[in-house]
Amino acid sequence: MKSQKYTLLAEVTLLHNYFEDGFFRDIRIVPDKVTQTFMWNAGLLFRLTDTGFSIFYSDPFDISYLKEITSFFNNQLLRFQLFGESSDFMNYTDSPLGRLVVYKYNNRDTKESSSTHLMLPKLEQRLYSQSPLGEVDFYLSEFLHQEEISSKDYIIMFSARNTRWKYYVMNVAESEADRLVIEDSTGSRFEGPVRREMPGGKSAFEFSSGNMVFPFRERPESFCSLKKKSLVVSNDEEDGASQNETLLQNLPVPSPQAITTIETDENEQVACSSVYIYL
């Protein structure tokens, strides 16, 4: 029995800087039904990879057939649908706030970098949460170069969402709260404390990162500390800060499971993550 040889036509790598290794794993990739039928008849193969997916063509391939269908159907394409495997995708991804969108990609709308092509997204409204979060279209004419098939590498890149952080410190007296400070890993202080009334009639003291924002990460990169100001009076600000008592070295990091939106002084909607600390 003669074995069939296949040659790479296109390789697609999906990146997302939320994940520690940079590769987007919470994704399911499926060719639509029309594409599945066409690929079967045309001698094309679809294969998932550890970093995305690949398309292969049977070698030798009838290039005249490919030229004929691309000249007759200029928009002849292969379509692959992207389904999110995590309900938190829209939270940890830098997507429009408050609405579902579909990421549309095609291999005519790319930005070339060395030997790869970065596919540029167009965002459209998604009507149903069960709908694909993305579609990737490949126009077959883009793989024809003179009388040969030219294989190409593509990259699809997602970015993590930045959010402002708010910590709510519970079960602390107001006189004690005035001595509390929260600092990030660089030593920058959060704004506060500000007394807030919580549901159930309880009070909490809010500390806000203000204009500082932090990206969601699968493995957090930034941690904050809760400290109590020293009662020792010092003319040197750094000496005074060094005598502050550390109450909690690494505060819990906000989760992408729940984000809210707040309005800035410039009437801009920004994402906000909250954490509650019980002392």
Side-chain angles (χ1 to χ4, degrees), residues 165-203:
W165 286 7
K166 287 188 177 183
Y167 284 99
Y168 292 91
V169 180
M170 314 285 290
N171 299 342
V172 61
E174 190 162 0
S175 58
E176 288 294 307
D178 288 338
R179 293 179 57 197
L180 299 180
V181 295
I182 290 181
E183 297 177 351
D184 69 5
S185 54
T186 68
S188 298
R189 286 190 178 182
F190 277 46
E191 299 172 359
V194 177
R195 185 185 181 94
R196 301 294 188 193
E197 295 300 321
M198 310 302 289
K202 294 185 177 181
S203 297

Side-chain angles (χ1 to χ4, degrees), residues 28-223:
R28 180 166 52 92
I29 307 158
V30 181
D32 69 9
K33 292 183 179 180
V34 173
T35 296
Q36 291 181 41
T37 302
F38 177 83
M39 292 182 70
W40 175 263
N41 293 329
L44 300 175
L45 283 181
F46 163 76
R47 288 290 183 268
L48 295 173
T49 67
D50 291 338
T51 58
F53 66 97
S54 299
I55 307 169
F56 297 85
Y57 64 91
S58 57
D59 194 359
F61 190 83
D62 187 355
I63 297 181
S64 61
Y65 168 70
L66 188 58
K67 292 172 65 176
E68 181 180 350
I69 62 172
T70 53
S71 61
F72 189 76
F73 302 104
N74 185 48
N75 62 345
Q76 181 65 46
L77 57 82
L78 307 176
R79 173 165 292 173
F80 300 87
Q81 298 176 318
L82 309 179
F83 292 89
E85 295 282 74
S86 170
S87 58
D88 295 329
F89 169 78
M90 301 301 291
N91 285 354
Y92 66 65
T93 302
D94 185 21
S95 59
L97 291 168
R99 64 189 182 99
L100 295 173
V101 295
V102 180
Y103 291 80
K104 298 272 193 174
Y105 300 91
N106 71 77
N107 62 340
R108 288 178 176 171
D109 191 4
T110 65
K111 180 179 180 181
E112 189 170 355
S113 174
S114 62
S115 60
T116 62
H117 298 75
L118 176 65
M119 304 187 83
L120 304 176
K122 293 181 179 178
L123 303 185
E124 296 183 4
Q125 184 69 33
R126 180 154 46 121
L127 299 180
Y128 307 102
S129 59
Q130 296 82 7
S131 303
L133 64 84
E135 291 181 346
V136 185
D137 291 343
F138 289 99
Y139 293 96
L140 294 176
S141 56
E142 296 299 307
F143 298 106
L144 285 176
H145 181 66
Q146 296 179 353
E147 297 299 318
E148 297 181 350
I149 296 178
S150 176
S151 63
K152 296 183 179 180
D153 294 337
Y154 296 94
I155 292 176
I156 293 175
M157 185 179 299
F158 295 90
S159 297
R161 184 187 299 283
N162 291 317
T163 69
R164 297 187 181 189
W165 286 7
K166 287 188 177 183
Y167 284 99
Y168 292 91
V169 180
M170 314 285 290
N171 299 342
V172 61
E174 190 162 0
S175 58
E176 288 294 307
D178 288 338
R179 293 179 57 197
L180 299 180
V181 295
I182 290 181
E183 297 177 351
D184 69 5
S185 54
T186 68
S188 298
R189 286 190 178 182
F190 277 46
E191 299 172 359
V194 177
R195 185 185 181 94
R196 301 294 188 193
E197 295 300 321
M198 310 302 289
K202 294 185 177 181
S203 297
F205 293 91
E206 176 189 281
F207 293 83
S208 170
S209 66
N211 291 326
M212 293 190 299
V213 295
F214 302 89
F216 280 124
R217 291 286 187 260
E218 182 182 34
R219 182 182 292 274
E221 298 174 349
S222 298
F223 291 92

